[in-house]
Amino acid sequence: MARTFPPDLVQTQREWIRTYELLARSPARTLLRYRLQRLSCRIAQHPYWAGAGRSRAAQTELRRQARAAERREAGAA
């Protein structure tokens, strides 16, 4: 059964994915690296992890759900 993550945590992970993809394609990397670092901190320090317990499986599931949301949004556009 899939975990249920707070919408703001999933949204932050989606922003992280988009920023990482831009970083891979962009010559202007400094600002993107800074943004990626800030997003990583926001994800790692989210209150959700205090209650649910941080595990690799949970982090992987968060990324999976965020990517699925990105695909759904791209398909709807």
Side-chain angles (χ1 to χ4, degrees):
M1 185 169 136
R3 290 179 185 245
T4 302
F5 295 100
D8 65 319
L9 181 56
V10 175
Q11 182 59 37
T12 302
Q13 182 66 50
R14 291 177 67 187
E15 290 174 30
W16 190 97
I17 291 168
R18 282 185 238 131
T19 302
Y20 189 87
E21 289 172 352
L22 284 172
L23 181 61
R25 292 179 275 152
S26 177
R29 298 174 187 257
T30 303
L31 291 176
L32 291 173
R33 283 185 184 148
Y34 177 70
R35 178 162 173 71
L36 196 62
Q37 186 176 27
R38 283 186 316 148
L39 290 168
S40 294
C41 289
R42 282 177 51 195
I43 291 168
Q45 295 174 353
H46 194 279
Y48 173 83
W49 301 118
R54 182 176 306 235
S55 71
R56 283 295 207 200
Q59 293 169 353
T60 300
E61 179 62 16
L62 173 62
R63 285 190 296 274
R64 189 196 66 74
Q65 288 184 27
R67 285 188 189 109
E70 285 292 302
R71 284 192 296 272
R72 282 192 304 272
E73 186 176 290

